[in-house]
Amino acid sequence: MNPPTIKDVAKAANVSVATVSRVLHNLTGFSDKTKQKVLQAVEELGYQPNAIARGLINKRTQTIGVLFPDVSSNFSSDILHGVEDAAHEKGFSVIVCNTAEDGKRTMKYLQVLREKQIDGIVFTSEFLKDEYYEALNDMRVPVVLVNTQTHKHMIPYVKVDDRQAAYQATDYLIRNGHREIAMISGTLTDPIAGTPRVEGYKQALADHGIEVDEDRIAYGNFGYESGRQAMHKLLAEAPSFTAVFAASDEMAVGAMGAAFEKGLKIPDDLSIIGYDDLNISRMIYPPLTTVHQPLADMGRLATEKLIALIENTSQVSSSIVSHHIVERQTVRKKP
């Protein structure tokens, strides 16, 4: 037996196919009584609207793509929760693409998303290279950036002010009596979350009359292992320091592990502040003091903006979302 069609629903409800379609797509032009008749027919027949058929009606697939450099990270999963919640509330499905470190698979996935005829893209955390922009432009679908931005093209974004957040993290250490402060930065060449966080760190030191020592800055890639290696490098080569600002929680946790290996107690011997406020920052001991980014909210907001663009329901602008410091137990007030 063939599955019921939209024509079967129309016949059972004694209305036109166009009316059934309008009811199913929440459009106007029918009475409440008609709506109830259609929905009752849908339920009794067990009618399932076909995504391809829906696409023929409204020229959409009700699907969005999300590109992450590392889908396995806590950071990405927090953003994804927000994306999926907002998408599903609006009747959209989500295709998640792992572009890998340095965007090795970004172009490949953009082609895949094009073939899938997705309605829009949430692009996260990676620098928007010219080749990506051109591919996105050719797709003619709306794009919203999360945790990244471009000064070159008019694409809306959702992110925190990385420079300001790094400034406040460093300032927090200074206000707790620390003046010899090292930094574990993200990728040296990253203009989005790398450079601005280093600039914020340096500016906070300068504003408090503390000389910036480049030897106290070590570079990682935002991941756990790179934080561990960076801390080993600082302990071996840098001038002495009493506190560390790590530009991600994962690097901060790696740094704490390296400090423990060298017999240092946190925060008694060394204070550490992280950045992101991932779940891991609450799970580790001692719990990590860190800069809170509202990652799930950022994913949700970006998706709401994207769907507004897809449905052409409102003007969309960029958003700088608020951050704040979460005090836990890894920063000691220096006497």
Side-chain angles (χ1 to χ4, degrees), residues 4 51 72 74 79 81 147 150 153 167 188 190 199 216 233 252-253 272 274 296 314 323-324 326:
S72 67
N74 286 287
I79 291 178
H81 277 303
N147 200 49
T150 171
H153 310 290
Y167 182 102
L188 175 62
D190 177 0
E199 288 173 350
R216 283 200 177 113
K233 181 178 171 63
V253 172
I272 295 183
S314 64
H323 61 269
H324 61 270
V326 180

Side-chain angles (χ1 to χ4, degrees), residues 26-329:
N26 289 318
L27 301 176
T28 55
F30 50 83
S31 68
D32 193 55
K33 185 179 176 184
T34 298
K35 179 180 179 180
Q36 295 309 318
K37 274 168 47 179
V38 169
L39 294 178
Q40 187 176 344
V42 166
E43 190 173 343
E44 286 174 356
L45 292 169
Y47 172 66
Q48 292 284 332
N50 182 292
I52 296 169
R54 280 203 311 265
L56 291 173
I57 295 166
N58 62 15
K59 300 292 189 293
R60 293 199 214 117
T61 57
Q62 297 297 111
T63 306
I64 61 173
V66 189
L67 283 84
F68 286 109
D70 180 7
V71 295
S72 67
S73 72
N74 286 287
F75 183 92
S76 296
S77 64
D78 283 4
I79 291 178
L80 184 58
H81 277 303
V83 170
E84 289 194 314
D85 285 350
H88 291 157
E89 281 170 19
K90 297 282 189 177
F92 281 74
S93 300
V94 179
I95 296 175
V96 181
C97 304
N98 183 11
T99 59
E101 194 179 330
D102 301 327
K104 291 187 181 80
R105 301 192 199 118
T106 301
M107 290 301 289
K108 174 190 161 192
Y109 273 121
L110 287 175
Q111 182 59 35
V112 168
L113 293 175
R114 183 175 190 159
E115 289 166 4
K116 298 283 185 189
Q117 297 184 320
I118 46 92
D119 298 328
I121 290 177
V122 174
F123 187 95
T124 80
S125 301
E126 200 184 333
F127 179 62
L128 189 70
K129 296 177 184 173
D130 287 342
E131 61 176 330
Y132 303 164
Y133 176 76
E134 285 160 19
L136 290 165
N137 211 30
D138 288 345
M139 291 167 74
R140 299 184 183 283
V141 296
V143 180
V144 176
L145 309 176
V146 183
N147 200 49
T148 184
Q149 69 186 112
T150 171
H151 301 293
K152 201 171 179 181
H153 310 290
M154 295 292 288
I155 300 178
Y157 60 81
V158 177
K159 69 188 295 294
V160 302
D161 184 332
D162 286 278
R163 196 176 191 277
Q164 182 62 21
Y167 182 102
Q168 288 183 358
T170 310
D171 180 72
Y172 176 80
L173 293 173
I174 295 167
R175 290 181 187 282
N176 275 279
H178 299 276
R179 293 184 67 82
E180 296 167 337
I181 301 169
M183 178 177 181
I184 298 176
S185 166
T187 315
L188 175 62
T189 54
D190 177 0
I192 305 303
T195 310
R197 294 182 194 179
V198 175
E199 288 173 350
Y201 158 79
K202 289 181 174 179
Q203 190 63 54
L205 293 179
D207 286 357
H208 285 276
I210 301 170
E211 191 175 338
V212 175
D213 189 334
E214 294 289 344
D215 291 336
R216 283 200 177 113
I217 304 174
Y219 293 89
N221 62 8
F222 297 105
Y224 169 84
E225 186 56 36
S226 75
R228 200 171 152 279
Q229 290 173 6
M231 179 60 100
H232 278 306
K233 181 178 171 63
L234 287 171
L235 291 172
E237 301 173 15
S240 65
F241 52 93
T242 64
V244 178
F245 163 46
S248 79
D249 284 352
E250 290 198 22
M251 291 197 299
V253 172
M256 286 170 68
F260 288 136
E261 285 169 20
K262 292 294 183 183
L264 296 173
K265 291 181 180 175
I266 293 170
D268 298 357
D269 302 322
L270 185 65
S271 291
I272 295 183
I273 186 168
Y275 193 113
D276 288 330
D277 195 20
L278 303 178
N279 282 335
I280 194 172
S281 65
R282 293 182 286 280
M283 293 156 65
I284 193 165
Y285 185 81
L288 180 67
T289 295
T290 187
V291 176
H292 173 80
Q293 286 200 88
L295 298 173
D297 291 345
M298 288 161 66
R300 168 177 281 280
L301 182 57
T303 305
E304 288 169 351
K305 287 178 187 291
L306 184 66
I307 292 171
L309 288 170
I310 291 167
E311 297 180 341
N312 202 20
T313 53
S314 64
Q315 291 288 321
V316 168
S317 58
S318 296
S319 296
I320 295 288
V321 296
S322 63
H323 61 269
H324 61 270
I325 289 172
V326 180
E327 294 186 88
R328 294 197 179 100
Q329 295 172 32

